[in-house]
Amino acid sequence: MNWPLVRLRPGDPFPPADQALPAGAPFAGLLAVGGRVDADSLEAAYSQGIFPWFGPGEPPMWWSPDPRMLLAPHDLKVRRSLRQSARRVMDNADYSLHVDRNFRRVMLACAAPRRDTAETWIVPAIVDAYSALHARGQAHSFELWCAGELVSGLYCVARGGMVFGESMFTRVSDGSKILLMALCGFCLRHRLGPIDCQQQTPHLANMGARPWPRPVFLQILGQALVKPGPPSWQYDRSQFQRDCAPWL
């Protein structure tokens, strides 16, 4: 079967998200190829339920999979071992929790090779584009520091009342999971979410995310975009302890 695929020139508008390649097609969920990756294109893409994902040497690829993996903040699964890790970190004065202390550094750490793969989709063009989006106040990083060193990070996109989780890294046990707790607690306090996790993975399912049909996701997105975002993205240890008290 011949699957049509939109090819974009710089500045072209995105096609509707429901025109992405269907399940069963090669590259299911792929919507378009080409165009430009910058803050303007990211704003437009996320507002329509679309995100970029491509590797080094590849043209920009834009995706809108069906189903879509979403995590409702109140559905986060915090197991006993994670509760213990969170308490241990919060009781250690060497650790501190921040938002947006060094967004670009978090992205670069997320892009670094990992034990299971040397490949990354966080190519330099992606780092530059999301850093520009961060400068506009529409992308944020949750960060865990220990003795002055960045040891875990998570970054996300925020549009209105919707949050889009992008990537995370950790150099300490359960560090990225603790930051996901912080993000979920923050979302609950500000009535944000659900958190878009984009792709289905066993790890996300174990944390409480579940697949939603794309039409439902797009409806949720449309409702969330008209809501105001939080007045501030500042965050610290005391806020974490209040927001995450039900899990601790």
Side-chain angles (χ1 to χ4, degrees):
M1 183 177 294
N2 184 25
W3 302 103
L5 185 64
V6 175
R7 298 191 178 274
L8 301 174
R9 297 168 299 180
D12 281 352
F14 293 105
D18 59 9
Q19 292 184 13
L21 296 181
F27 306 104
L30 180 59
L31 176 66
V33 176
R36 183 169 50 232
V37 181
D38 58 15
D40 289 339
S41 64
L42 292 178
E43 281 193 26
Y46 280 93
S47 295
Q48 298 172 58
I50 302 163
F51 61 89
W53 183 36
F54 57 96
E58 296 178 338
M61 299 183 188
W62 304 90
W63 302 77
S64 184
D66 185 13
R68 192 76 164 229
M69 202 70 165
L70 299 178
L71 172 60
H74 57 77
D75 286 340
L76 178 69
K77 294 180 180 178
V78 178
R79 305 184 191 282
R80 183 170 177 267
S81 60
L82 179 54
R83 288 199 301 271
Q84 292 173 336
S85 293
R87 290 170 183 164
R88 184 169 59 251
V89 165
M90 290 301 109
D91 289 340
N92 189 330
D94 286 339
Y95 282 92
S96 57
L97 183 64
H98 302 273
V99 168
D100 294 340
R101 189 175 188 180
N102 198 322
F103 179 87
R104 190 178 185 93
R105 188 170 169 185
V106 169
M107 284 204 70
L108 292 173
C110 288
R114 307 192 183 194
R115 287 178 297 178
D116 56 344
T117 179
E119 299 179 355
T120 180
W121 66 274
I122 308 175
V123 298
I126 289 288
V127 175
D128 290 342
Y130 282 82
S131 295
L133 198 65
H134 168 66
R136 297 183 180 184
Q138 296 178 17
H140 303 278
S141 56
F142 281 68
E143 306 164 13
L144 189 63
W145 293 71
C146 182
E149 293 295 325
L150 177 65
V151 294
S152 299
L154 171 159
Y155 74 95
C156 61
V157 172
R159 301 281 289 149
M162 192 76 183
V163 175
F164 308 82
E166 290 300 318
S167 188
M168 60 180 69
F169 84 96
T170 189
R171 300 187 182 114
V172 296
S173 179
D174 288 334
S176 57
K177 293 179 180 179
I178 292 171
L179 292 178
L180 183 58
M181 287 177 63
L183 175 60
C184 286
F186 181 88
C187 288
L188 286 173
R189 176 157 51 95
H190 292 286
R191 299 182 180 179
L192 306 177
I195 300 168
D196 175 31
C197 301
Q198 300 174 349
Q199 306 275 12
Q200 296 187 64
T201 68
H203 171 69
L204 290 171
N206 287 336
M207 295 298 292
R210 58 191 180 95
W212 289 72
R214 184 173 55 213
V216 177
F217 162 70
L218 293 176
Q219 182 180 18
I220 292 171
L221 174 61
Q223 296 168 347
L225 289 175
V226 299
K227 296 180 181 178
S232 170
W233 282 79
Q234 296 302 307
Y235 208 70
D236 58 24
R237 181 195 306 264
S238 62
Q239 289 170 316
F240 174 88
Q241 291 171 329
R242 289 195 300 270
D243 292 348
C244 298
W247 296 309
L248 298 174

